[in-house]
Amino acid sequence: MNNIISVIFASDQETKLDNLALHRTAASLPFAGRYRCIDFTLSNLVNSQITSIGIITRSNYSSLMDHIRMGRDWDLNRKNGGITVFPPYASNTSRNVFKGKIEALYGILEFFTKAPEDYVIVTNSNVIASINFEDVYNEHIKSGADITVVSYTAKPTTSKRLLLELDGNNKVVGTRITQTASENETEIGTNIYLMKKDILVEQVVDNFERGYIDFEKNIIQQNVDKLNIHAYHLTQHCALIDDVKSYYAESMLVLNAKIRSELFDGPGGNVYTKVKDSVPTRYRDNAVVQNSLIADGCDINGTVINSILFRGVVVEEGAEIKNSIVMEGGIIKKDATLDYTITDKNVTITEDKHMSGTEMFVTVIPKNKTV
Amino acid sequence: MLSLKKETVAMLLAGGQGTRLYSLTRDVAKPAVSFGGKYRIIDFPLSNCVNSNIDTIGVLTQYKPFDLNQYIGNGQPWDLDRLSGGVFVLPPYSRGGEAGDWYKGTANAIYQNIEFVDKFSPEYVLVLSGDHIYKMDYDKMLDYHKEKGADCTIAVINVPLSEASRFGIMNTNPDNSVYEFEEKPKQPKSTNASMGIYIFNWQKLRKYLIEDENDPNSSNDFGKNIIPNMLKDGQKLFAYNFDGYWKDVGTIASLWEANMDIINENSGINLADNSWKIYARNTAEHPHVTGQNAKIMNSLVTEGCEIDGTVINSVISSGVTIAEGAIVENSVIMPNAQIEAGAEIKYAIVGQGAVVGKCAKVGESQNGDQWQIAVVGPYGKVADKAVVKIGEMVD
């Protein structure tokens, strides 16, 4: 698999993440107790021996840089290849931050032309799934496709999803881009594409010169009749995180043993993340913890039910956390309660404070706040 | 030749078989034994070195080295992947066209690596053991060594008089200079027990190592030969008093006790204290999961565990499964062990990858100080409904 490079977009439609993206890109959104969203994509690539990876950032990328560092935790601190982070200003053709993915790719054409590899995977960083790209590549070759899009079957819960109409051989024969959410299960593109580097460069240059900037609309939708676009269908669990609602729902699904096993023991292999050298979690005498996902370094003396605790969370005696997500460094003081609440990093909930939301409208408490 | 000089080189003795840990060291050297949920014993001296600004460490291995070699790797988890210095695994090797010798004793192990130490032209050599749990600033001990103008400084810890005869005892003058060393004395004159941590002036030690090697009657041991010989010659030996937590985990009982000390907040060792972190090679596992029936009290639980049973006063290492209805009390469960439904584990150590079958019983509750620990060896299998008695060991 050393014939493939990859480009990851650190953010695509992050505005919908509201408070959760105030300080970060979608790529560095904390997920499942100890990960960032981009860990899943990076681990899938590395486990498929794809080790030359460019990350295109747009804004708020310092938390991403802090997470990735030199890529060592994914074994990507290589002499050849490894991780290259493209800050927004790397594009010398655009005075402003890029508007669409095509413009961003045009800004780093050299990354493609200089690489000796023949194939490229273009992906967003909000895909939570265990994917073996060796399998994707093999199917791409076998199908004779120009472009392979990785897809899965689900209900489109938000707008801007790429819906695929497939023939019996999983060839894409039609596409739609959703404007609203729908209750009907359908084939959805994951914004992960595999193609020959030459095809990507040709498409990017051609579209950019015509003033087109939207990857899904201009490169995929416009080419359904002209190029052979193939769908690689995922049977395992797959999630796209692009708003608070999908973030909460997909986080809670990790509590399901079957889905957890599909994510962490799936074809994509181990999921790596930044190592923090936390100690094991300490349970004290009054701890009650049920149906929850708990990272290392926590100190628990209260009640935690149907919840996710990230690293280093403190739950004091009498505190009660239900249906909630507490990110790294959260402190839930004595007798405080949380229900349907997401607390971002380093939030303190003071004594006897009660925070609650509903399943439809989860309360989000922004980073570093004390309430 | 490496041109960069190091003031201090640490030599970590990790070759011991650890026979008193029985099946726990059947496949791995003692320093590679799992400890405290996510650590190996060797993480403690390695992390102490790094935290004490010692970045050049030779790890002397001999017995079952593969696991340890793989674990240490390039030293990156301890920040020891350095351009100059770093961590070096030093097995016995052949020198000058002759067949190499096994390390005959602790002193011989260093003797055989004189060339290695010489490459860094150090002033001082710190000799460490790979089987102790403690947090210690070696830099302070080095300052003391320099201040005293010593040829050798030996770290000592105060032990109860009743236990002193189990240790090597340093008898000292009021200025802390050592006038006598007694190995396991029947009538101890003092309670200063050697911790097996030495700082030597390298040139001095080098001379004594060569002399010791030429003595056919020597057992090539620091405690039995080098220290007594230096004392006999009137070299300046000083005791350095350490008053923190320190435990030799060379036996099943002491390994279990040290794990319990990690849970007990008043034991004197706090792993969560970030001012002196203990580093370990991390496994890529998801956060641990507690099921609907889980009940966990006064315990440590590590990443990758799936817990649906009851856990009390125990250390649960990474990747352990504890099924519904199982009870784990006052026990240490090592990485990736599986405790099946209804099993009861009390006062026990369950080795890495072991499986305890449904409704099996391992160990029993005990009162007072006379407890005995049951052991299920690494990758051992306890059949459904089988019983492992108090203090019994099964492979």
Side-chain angles (χ1 to χ4, degrees):
Chain A
M1 286 290 100
N2 286 322
N3 201 18
I4 306 180
I5 59 170
S6 180
V7 178
I8 304 175
F9 289 97
S11 56
D12 194 6
Q13 299 167 4
E14 64 200 298
T15 47
K16 287 190 283 180
L17 283 165
D18 301 329
N19 276 339
L20 292 176
L22 282 181
H23 301 276
R24 58 172 78 90
T25 66
S28 53
L29 184 63
F31 188 78
R34 72 187 291 249
Y35 304 96
R36 304 291 185 128
C37 282
I38 198 171
D39 292 340
F40 292 84
T41 299
L42 283 178
S43 301
N44 288 333
L45 290 169
V46 167
N47 290 331
S48 306
Q49 274 80 54
I50 297 163
T51 54
S52 185
I53 299 171
I55 300 177
I56 299 178
T57 61
R58 184 168 177 168
S59 55
N60 282 343
Y61 62 96
S62 71
S63 75
L64 181 67
M65 296 291 281
D66 176 56
H67 181 67
I68 305 275
R69 294 181 296 192
M70 304 297 285
R72 186 165 69 184
D73 293 317
W74 299 266
D75 204 14
L76 284 170
N77 52 338
R78 304 289 180 92
K79 286 209 168 178
N80 297 309
I83 282 193
T84 313
V85 176
F86 297 104
Y89 49 80
S91 156
N92 56 11
T93 60
S94 60
R95 269 172 237 102
N96 301 317
V97 170
F98 69 87
K99 292 184 201 76
K101 293 202 278 190
I102 290 176
E103 191 181 351
L105 291 169
Y106 188 82
I108 60 158
L109 277 182
E110 238 186 37
F111 177 71
F112 302 110
T113 50
K114 271 192 173 171
E117 288 85 353
D118 293 320
Y119 289 85
V120 59
I121 288 170
V122 180
T123 173
N124 286 357
S125 50
N126 63 340
V127 187
I128 308 289
S130 179
I131 302 169
N132 183 331
F133 283 110
E134 223 160 322
D135 293 347
V136 179
Y137 173 80
N138 289 339
E139 191 169 311
H140 177 79
I141 298 298
K142 214 174 120 198
S143 67
D146 297 311
I147 299 177
T148 291
V149 49
V150 177
S151 70
Y152 68 115
T153 310
K155 294 172 190 165
T157 50
T158 57
S159 61
K160 290 247 174 189
R161 286 281 157 81
L162 178 72
L163 305 189
L164 305 173
E165 194 184 323
L166 307 179
D167 72 5
N169 296 318
N170 280 359
K171 183 182 183 313
V172 178
V173 291
T175 61
R176 282 185 297 133
I177 292 172
T178 54
Q179 297 303 314
T180 52
S182 157
E183 279 301 303
N184 299 324
E185 283 220 330
T186 174
E187 198 66 10
I188 301 176
T190 57
N191 310 95
I192 300 174
Y193 306 98
L194 169 67
M195 66 193 94
K196 272 227 164 93
K197 210 171 66 181
D198 297 349
I199 294 182
L200 180 71
V201 171
E202 189 191 313
Q203 287 294 328
V204 165
V205 172
D206 185 58
N207 279 288
F208 182 75
E209 285 173 351
R210 292 165 193 268
Y212 299 143
I213 56 168
D214 189 321
F215 196 101
E216 275 67 32
K217 208 161 156 185
N218 304 117
I219 296 187
I220 304 300
Q221 208 165 29
Q222 302 285 334
N223 278 320
V224 166
D225 299 327
K226 296 177 203 137
L227 296 173
N228 179 358
I229 301 177
H230 177 80
Y232 176 90
H233 174 77
L234 296 175
T235 50
Q236 65 270 37
H237 182 73
C238 176
L240 304 188
I241 309 283
D242 42 21
D243 55 13
V244 173
K245 203 174 141 199
S246 61
Y247 174 77
Y248 178 80
E250 292 299 340
S251 294
M252 288 300 154
L253 280 178
V254 181
L255 295 176
N256 175 313
K258 180 169 175 285
I259 286 171
R260 193 164 60 242
S261 138
E262 286 181 10
L263 277 183
F264 294 102
D265 310 319
N270 285 340
V271 185
Y272 301 101
T273 189
K274 181 178 175 181
V275 167
K276 297 221 167 144
D277 299 295
S278 320
V279 293
T281 281
R282 176 184 288 273
Y283 287 86
R284 294 178 190 272
D285 289 345
N286 303 302
V288 175
V289 179
Q290 284 169 4
N291 194 35
S292 294
L293 189 68
I294 317 263
D296 271 2
C298 295
D299 189 329
I300 303 174
N301 201 19
T303 299
V304 182
I305 296 171
N306 300 335
S307 294
I308 296 172
L309 305 189
F310 282 70
R311 290 185 272 204
V313 169
V314 177
V315 184
E316 294 187 358
E317 189 180 345
E320 197 173 279
I321 301 171
K322 281 182 179 169
N323 308 309
S324 294
I325 299 171
V326 181
M327 291 189 194
E328 192 176 334
I331 300 175
I332 315 303
K333 297 263 193 192
K334 203 163 170 285
D335 299 325
T337 63
L338 295 182
D339 197 10
Y340 291 107
T341 299
I342 299 171
T343 68
D344 205 325
K345 275 180 81 172
N346 301 322
V347 163
T348 299
I349 307 293
T350 52
E351 273 188 34
D352 222 11
K353 200 81 174 177
H354 307 288
M355 308 297 303
S356 64
T358 65
E359 192 163 7
M360 297 306 292
F361 297 99
V362 175
T363 302
V364 178
I365 300 173
K367 192 172 164 181
N368 298 332
K369 287 269 187 278
T370 297
V371 287
Chain B
M1 243 345 234
L2 283 169
S3 59
L4 210 109
K5 180 178 159 62
K6 296 283 178 183
E7 186 189 33
T8 309
V9 170
M11 297 297 270
L12 176 52
L13 300 162
Q17 185 179 349
T19 48
R20 289 173 304 156
L21 288 177
Y22 301 94
S23 60
L24 296 180
T25 50
R26 187 187 60 211
D27 306 321
V28 297
K30 183 158 58 172
V33 169
S34 161
F35 181 83
K38 69 184 294 186
Y39 306 93
R40 310 274 192 123
I41 296 169
I42 198 171
D43 290 329
F44 288 80
L46 284 180
S47 302
N48 285 340
C49 280
V50 173
N51 292 336
S52 306
N53 298 317
I54 294 169
D55 64 8
T56 307
I57 305 167
V59 180
L60 300 140
T61 61
Q62 173 155 289
Y63 172 78
K64 302 266 186 185
F66 306 119
D67 209 62
L68 196 57
N69 288 357
Q70 197 181 15
Y71 185 71
I72 293 172
N74 67 350
Q76 181 264 315
W78 305 270
D79 209 11
L80 284 168
D81 50 337
R82 304 289 174 105
L83 277 182
S84 103
V87 60
F88 302 83
V89 176
L90 304 170
Y93 63 100
S94 162
R95 293 182 307 282
E98 297 162 26
D101 286 326
W102 293 109
Y103 294 147
K104 289 179 283 183
T106 51
N108 176 258
I110 311 281
Y111 169 82
Q112 292 203 34
N113 288 287
I114 283 178
E115 277 175 72
F116 167 79
V117 180
D118 277 346
K119 278 189 181 290
F120 299 98
S121 323
E123 306 296 321
Y124 309 104
V125 166
L126 169 68
V127 177
L128 301 168
S129 298
D131 49 5
H132 299 154
I133 302 298
Y134 63 116
K135 286 184 167 187
M136 180 174 177
D137 189 345
Y138 304 133
D139 211 23
K140 284 188 183 156
M141 179 172 168
L142 183 63
D143 285 345
Y144 176 90
H145 177 83
K146 290 179 192 166
E147 186 192 308
K148 292 287 184 186
D151 296 305
C152 168
T153 299
I154 302 145
V156 296
I157 190 155
N158 196 25
V159 294
L161 190 62
S162 59
E163 288 180 29
S165 56
R166 285 173 39 215
F167 292 91
I169 296 295
M170 297 290 159
N171 296 320
T172 53
N173 300 309
D175 68 346
N176 249 6
S177 60
V178 178
Y179 67 87
E180 188 184 29
F181 172 72
E182 292 182 289
E183 184 74 39
K184 297 183 180 153
K186 287 209 177 68
Q187 317 243 267
K189 293 181 200 132
S190 94
T191 54
N192 281 335
S194 166
M195 297 161 63
I197 298 166
Y198 310 95
I199 293 177
F200 291 96
N201 291 353
W202 172 235
Q203 287 309 323
K204 196 75 72 156
L205 174 63
R206 201 177 182 283
K207 171 174 165 281
Y208 276 89
L209 288 174
I210 292 168
E211 284 174 14
D212 179 64
E213 187 63 18
N214 291 332
D215 175 3
N217 299 320
S218 172
S219 46
N220 308 116
D221 185 84
F222 276 100
K224 289 188 190 118
N225 308 103
I226 301 290
I227 300 298
N229 287 343
M230 287 182 81
L231 275 174
K232 199 172 65 195
D233 293 353
Q235 303 289 356
K236 288 169 77 179
L237 278 75
F238 279 84
Y240 172 75
N241 291 95
F242 177 70
D243 56 8
Y245 177 94
W246 175 84
K247 195 158 197 101
D248 181 328
V249 287
T251 64
I252 296 287
S254 62
L255 180 65
W256 179 86
E257 273 185 312
N259 273 287
M260 293 300 127
D261 287 343
I262 300 292
I263 307 175
N264 175 3
E265 278 188 297
N266 304 318
S267 64
I269 186 156
N270 176 10
L271 294 186
D273 172 12
N274 281 338
S275 67
W276 200 267
K277 262 193 182 186
I278 302 299
Y279 301 96
R281 186 173 287 278
N282 276 50
T283 51
E285 293 192 83
H286 61 66
H288 72 263
V289 179
T290 56
Q292 295 289 358
N293 310 297
K295 192 178 162 204
I296 310 172
M297 274 169 59
N298 194 34
S299 295
L300 293 183
V301 181
T302 313
E303 279 163 349
C305 292
E306 306 254 350
I307 296 179
D308 206 16
T310 299
V311 177
I312 299 170
N313 300 334
S314 295
V315 174
I316 313 298
S317 312
S318 56
V320 166
T321 310
I322 298 177
E324 186 184 346
I327 298 173
V328 176
E329 273 180 34
N330 301 298
S331 294
V332 179
I333 312 295
M334 292 193 170
N336 303 316
Q338 286 177 46
I339 314 300
E340 295 184 350
E344 281 185 24
I345 302 195
K346 293 173 179 177
Y347 284 82
I349 296 178
V350 175
Q352 177 163 352
V355 179
V356 177
K358 293 189 184 73
C359 301
K361 283 192 186 343
V362 177
E364 270 179 43
S365 288
Q366 294 163 70
N367 295 318
D369 298 334
Q370 292 302 308
W371 40 262
Q372 282 181 292
I373 302 304
V375 177
V376 179
Y379 305 100
K381 298 243 183 310
V382 178
D384 292 356
K385 294 183 182 162
V387 175
V388 178
K389 292 193 209 102
I390 287 184
E392 192 185 348
M393 297 191 202
V394 297
D395 284 349

